Amino acid sequence: MSHEYVLKPFTPEIRLNIDYPRELNEQQLAAVTAPPGPALVIAGAGSGKTRTLTYRVAFLLEQGIPADRILLLTFTNKAAGEMMHRVSDLLGHELRALWGGTFHSIGARILRLHAEVLGYQKDFTILDRDDAKDLIKACLLDAKIDTKDKHFPKPDVLNEIFSLAANTHQSIAELVEGKFSYFDDYAEQIADQHKRYLARKRATNGMDFDDLLALWLKLLQDHAEVREHYQRRFQFILVDEYQDTNKLQGDLIDLLAARHKNVMVVGDDAQSIYAWRGANFANILDFPKRYPGAKVFKIETNYRSTPEILAVANAAIAANVNQFAKELAPARKSGVKPALVQCHDASQQSAFIAQRCLELRDEGTSLNNICVLYRSHFHALELQLELTRRQIPFSITSGLRFFEQAHIKDATAFLKFVANPKDEVSFKRLVLLLPGIGAKGAEKLFQSFRARIEDGGLKMETKLAPALQSCAKAVPKKAAVPWTQFVTTISQLEDESTRRSAAKMLRLVMDAGYDDYLKETYDNYARRLEEIQQLAEFAFQFGTVEEFLTQLALLTNVEAEADPADDSEKIKLSTIHQAKGLEFEIVFVIMLCDGLFPSARSTESNDGEEEERRLFYVSVTRAKNELYLCYPNIRGGFGASGMDTYQSPSRFLAEIPEALVNKWNLH
């Protein structure tokens, strides 16, 4: 194997005076000083992955490798910035020549230099998600496809389908059949829209985020002189978070490294938890097969957690078959055993967490250092209520807050309108869901409806459906049939047997067609549907619809009052996906019940269950000092009948030896 640059003994003029054996542990040192060739670094949770990559860059520079011959690829701008900052600190000056950044930023940089080869101008526009959606709308208009068609996917969903096709190397037909089967009847039209979208982007000299990778790969595949230039240039390639790469990113790395094979990928297969957004677990698992002779380094010394927490973490991941076996070893002194907390129901679980957090604060732990982790948004509903009741401050770090999400607001708008017919906001929100009705139409309909209920002296026992039906003349022709269906739904919702139960009302909303709206409107339809179903089950505990809506309003207002600049103490509430890469002194993992964590869908396949187990492992390894694994025996008022439903503890808990935990039975 030929190398333009080879590792050589230290020379005085490039020596950085770094004492590697002193500053790195034995496993980190082995990876940092690895000879040329392919290398896979399995860096366990809390083991100093960033430190290893940073010192690897410094070591290569010391060996005489020019900075502009090194390519460092990361996943986020934050990671790229941190890595480059650490390298600069080691060197004592900035290193502008190093090619370091996210996959997308490096792709954009290279495409700017070679855009004309692909038929683009160098000043091409990079489209953000909203820009892409607008372009898709234009394509639909050109094709004379009615974007208000009841069943055709909306631009956001089309954008997601097109993005997944680019990142997974699947055809539109394959994707529709596999992940979006409810659009089977439109598969050909969706494929046609994809072609139109690609053509329109080119015609407008625009690239979306996926193009920054897809066209970068096409550039290398189709143009030998460009490919050879970058294969020669990038003598050493370093990749961070390799377990999260998708098929497209994996192919890019393999092609760039094809000449020298000097590629070092760093990651943790046990923390691969993003298959749902296209990450390809096979990239890290099969690396030694794709690179025969690759050296595999394991960095297993953990500087984050106590030995007791690490013992649980090692047991938690042991059952996975598809993995690189590793054993996290503690660098810290002994602490308390993790607690396995059995509760009667979700309310007792919430009360326990609230009380324990107050105790921990009294003992000197800031609320900022406490985190509650969960598999899905709806698992924390009871906890949010409990913390609100006790006036314990909390923040939610899982993107949009649960009750602020559009589908939750849509579903609850039906209940709000039936409970209060004068609710203008809820009325307009509902009619705007109908095809052919815009803001002006919604205003006109509300004025018409309000006139009828005021003229009729509407009382709470008066039926809404007849008043709505009498507004039919103000409804656009396109919305005539949906309006009739809407009136029917309201009629069913205000029926006495349904009106008494928020849970029944929410289920009727789904059965009356909102389920179809979710499919057409959102790429993550299944998750949104599950959240509304769980909201309906959660609603069983409330005596009246008004009580349910009052509690939701209180929660929403508390969340809305949160000031981003507020630095006061708050307990962190987060999904596990959002917490990856973070650490906390105290961690509670809740709702550890089969069907909830692992989720019911995941257990239908071995791959799905193994990813859920990796997710559990990630949750455990966020804890530094104390870990509480919590589950309720029953979910009060849950299930189709509204009766108590007994829960089985998560199968993952059974895989942890009893000797490793302290059992707390609150039942």
Side-chain angles (χ1 to χ4, degrees):
M1 185 186 301
S2 70
H3 299 278
E4 272 83 348
Y5 297 89
V6 296
L7 298 181
K8 56 188 179 182
F10 292 144
T11 55
E13 63 270 24
I14 59 172
R15 180 148 182 126
L16 299 177
N17 295 316
I18 298 174
D19 188 345
Y20 292 96
R22 181 178 179 180
E23 298 188 28
L24 301 168
N25 66 38
E26 188 176 337
Q27 293 176 328
Q28 292 170 337
L29 181 65
V32 165
T33 59
L40 169 61
V41 180
I42 300 297
S47 64
K49 168 179 64 69
T50 302
R51 187 177 187 82
T52 301
L53 271 173
T54 303
Y55 277 79
R56 175 63 174 175
V57 172
F59 182 77
L60 291 174
L61 293 170
E62 269 199 335
Q63 304 310 298
I65 308 301
D68 66 351
R69 303 292 171 149
I70 301 171
L71 174 63
L72 172 60
L73 291 167
T74 67
F75 265 82
T76 65
N77 290 318
K78 181 180 178 183
E82 181 183 359
M83 209 87 70
M84 298 295 279
H85 179 71
R86 289 200 193 185
V87 170
S88 297
D89 283 349
L90 273 180
L91 300 180
H93 60 83
E94 284 192 35
L95 194 64
R96 298 184 183 278
L98 176 67
W99 282 63
T102 65
F103 278 88
H104 291 89
S105 68
I106 298 297
R109 183 176 174 181
I110 289 174
L111 288 169
R112 290 285 184 206
L113 296 172
H114 305 281
E116 292 168 355
V117 175
L118 293 170
Y120 284 83
Q121 296 173 348
K122 291 184 179 181
D123 60 351
F124 61 82
T125 299
I126 299 176
L127 309 174
D128 62 22
R129 192 171 181 87
D130 284 339
D131 296 332
K133 188 169 72 171
D134 289 341
L135 210 57
I136 291 171
K137 286 180 181 176
C139 294
L140 291 167
L141 194 63
D142 275 356
K144 294 182 169 55
I145 291 178
D146 184 1
T147 55
K148 294 291 187 178
D149 181 287
K150 186 178 179 185
H151 299 296
F152 197 79
K154 301 294 187 291
D156 272 334
V157 181
L158 289 174
N159 200 9
E160 180 67 12
I161 294 173
F162 300 165
S163 178
L164 280 172
N167 285 290
T168 62
H169 287 187
Q170 288 181 276
S171 69
I172 297 296
E174 289 171 331
L175 264 176
V176 170
E177 181 182 359
K179 191 171 180 181
F180 299 90
S181 57
Y182 38 88
F183 292 134
D184 277 345
D185 292 344
Y186 296 100
E188 288 187 15
Q189 282 179 282
I190 294 171
D192 177 63
Q193 286 305 303
H194 186 228
K195 290 176 184 175
R196 290 172 181 268
Y197 174 60
L198 295 178
R200 195 149 191 143
K201 280 190 296 183
R202 182 175 290 274
T204 57
N205 195 36
M207 297 183 190
D208 61 24
F209 264 54
D210 299 314
D211 288 328
L212 298 180
L213 303 187
L215 292 179
W216 177 15
L217 181 60
K218 180 177 174 58
L219 176 71
L220 298 179
Q221 289 174 331
D222 296 352
H223 302 278
E225 71 286 357
V226 179
R227 177 173 67 249
E228 186 168 336
H229 170 77
Y230 286 105
Q231 286 176 342
R232 286 180 178 277
R233 156 156 281 201
F234 296 135
Q235 296 293 311
F236 288 85
I237 300 172
L238 308 174
V239 186
D240 187 25
E241 301 286 10
Y242 187 65
Q243 77 281 349
D244 294 333
T245 53
N246 59 35
K247 180 72 167 65
L248 176 52
Q249 290 160 331
D251 288 351
L252 266 169
I253 295 162
D254 289 349
L255 191 54
L256 285 169
R259 179 179 178 85
H260 299 292
K261 310 289 187 186
N262 292 333
V263 55
M264 175 177 282
V265 298
V266 182
D268 184 2
D269 57 297
Q271 296 187 68
S272 178
I273 58 174
Y274 294 114
W276 53 276
R277 70 181 189 196
N280 186 12
F281 184 58
N283 282 354
I284 192 167
L285 204 62
D286 295 341
F287 185 86
K289 297 177 186 175
R290 296 201 317 282
Y291 290 86
K295 293 186 179 297
V296 179
F297 299 92
K298 293 181 182 179
I299 304 179
E300 298 168 299
T301 301
N302 176 287
Y303 295 92
R304 175 185 299 156
S305 307
T306 62
E308 289 77 9
I309 291 173
L310 293 185
V312 169
N314 288 328
I317 199 65
N320 270 10
V321 175
N322 296 309
Q323 66 166 314
F324 292 99
K326 70 182 76 66
E327 190 83 7
L328 293 179
R332 293 184 54 195
K333 293 180 180 178
S334 185
V336 297
K337 284 184 182 180
L340 180 59
V341 186
Q342 179 183 10
C343 307
H344 173 65
D345 57 16
S347 294
Q348 187 182 49
Q349 177 181 252
S350 301
F352 160 72
I353 292 170
Q355 184 60 35
R356 184 65 187 132
C357 286
L358 292 176
E359 293 169 357
L360 288 164
R361 190 176 186 279
D362 288 343
E363 293 167 10
T365 299
S366 167
L367 295 182
N368 290 331
N369 292 323
I370 301 174
C371 183
V372 181
L373 296 175
Y374 37 85
R375 174 67 182 82
S376 300
H377 283 291
F378 61 82
H379 293 174
L381 290 178
E382 291 91 348
L383 179 60
Q384 290 182 49
L385 279 175
E386 182 67 22
L387 294 176
T388 302
R389 287 186 189 119
R390 295 199 187 200
Q391 297 184 315
I392 300 174
F394 64 92
S395 63
I396 301 175
T397 57
S398 303
L400 268 180
R401 291 167 172 81
F402 185 84
F403 299 109
E404 293 174 355
Q405 297 176 103
H407 59 296
I408 299 297
K409 295 181 77 170
D410 287 346
T412 54
F414 281 95
L415 279 64
K416 290 179 179 180
F417 175 60
V418 171
N420 174 20
K422 295 183 180 181
D423 184 342
E424 178 179 353
V425 173
S426 294
F427 177 93
K428 288 181 176 178
R429 185 176 192 94
L430 295 175
V431 299
L432 284 170
L433 297 175
L434 305 179
I437 298 180
K440 289 183 179 178
E443 173 65 23
K444 183 179 178 182
L445 276 166
F446 180 70
Q447 294 303 333
S448 175
F449 173 71
R450 185 168 67 176
R452 281 164 174 77
I453 62 174
E454 288 180 351
D455 289 347
L458 185 72
K459 299 176 182 177
M460 289 310 294
E461 63 270 13
T462 305
K463 296 296 183 183
L464 296 177
L468 289 169
Q469 190 56 52
S470 66
C471 300
K473 290 181 181 178
V475 177
K477 289 183 179 178
K478 190 180 289 187
V481 173
W483 178 263
T484 300
Q485 293 172 336
F486 169 62
V487 173
T488 301
T489 300
I490 296 299
S491 176
Q492 293 169 335
L493 287 172
E494 60 181 354
D495 181 86
E496 189 176 348
S497 63
T498 304
R499 172 69 174 78
R500 289 196 297 260
S501 167
K504 288 183 179 179
M505 292 180 77
L506 286 168
R507 286 181 173 167
L508 193 149
V509 167
M510 299 306 300
D511 293 340
Y514 190 72
D515 183 359
D516 291 332
Y517 175 82
L518 287 178
K519 288 177 183 174
E520 300 140 21
T521 308
Y522 300 110
D523 55 88
N524 54 355
Y525 149 73
R527 178 181 69 76
R528 291 178 187 257
L529 172 63
E530 183 180 31
E531 288 185 346
I532 295 178
Q533 290 170 335
Q534 291 295 327
L535 182 65
E537 295 189 351
F538 171 72
F540 267 117
Q541 66 184 282
F542 298 97
T544 66
V545 173
E546 286 71 22
E547 184 185 343
F548 171 71
L549 292 174
T550 297
Q551 287 298 330
L552 258 58
L554 290 174
L555 275 177
T556 305
N557 287 334
V558 167
E559 292 173 353
E561 289 167 6
D563 179 0
D566 183 7
D567 59 357
S568 60
E569 287 186 47
K570 293 184 182 69
I571 299 169
K572 305 292 188 300
L573 273 57
S574 177
T575 62
I576 302 164
H577 284 103
Q578 289 284 335
K580 185 174 175 289
L582 303 178
E583 60 183 32
F584 303 91
E585 289 183 18
I586 316 291
V587 169
F588 296 84
V589 187
I590 64 172
M591 288 300 178
L592 279 162
C593 305
D594 254 22
L596 296 177
F597 193 3
S599 68
R601 283 197 309 274
S602 69
T603 55
E604 294 171 2
S605 69
N606 287 334
D607 287 348
E609 183 172 324
E610 290 213 342
E611 174 145 336
E612 290 286 294
R613 190 175 283 107
R614 294 195 292 271
L615 192 61
F616 179 51
Y617 172 82
V618 168
S619 71
V620 170
T621 53
R622 298 311 93 200
K624 296 167 68 175
N625 300 335
E626 294 184 31
L627 173 67
Y628 299 85
L629 305 174
C630 310
Y631 68 95
N633 283 334
I634 66 169
R635 298 210 75 184
F638 277 60
S641 64
M643 303 293 288
D644 289 351
T645 303
Y646 284 89
Q647 305 282 151
S648 297
S650 172
R651 64 193 65 187
F652 301 152
L653 297 177
E655 295 167 356
I656 299 172
E658 290 187 9
L660 299 183
V661 295
N662 286 324
K663 288 190 174 182
W664 295 18
N665 189 344
L666 306 183
H667 181 36

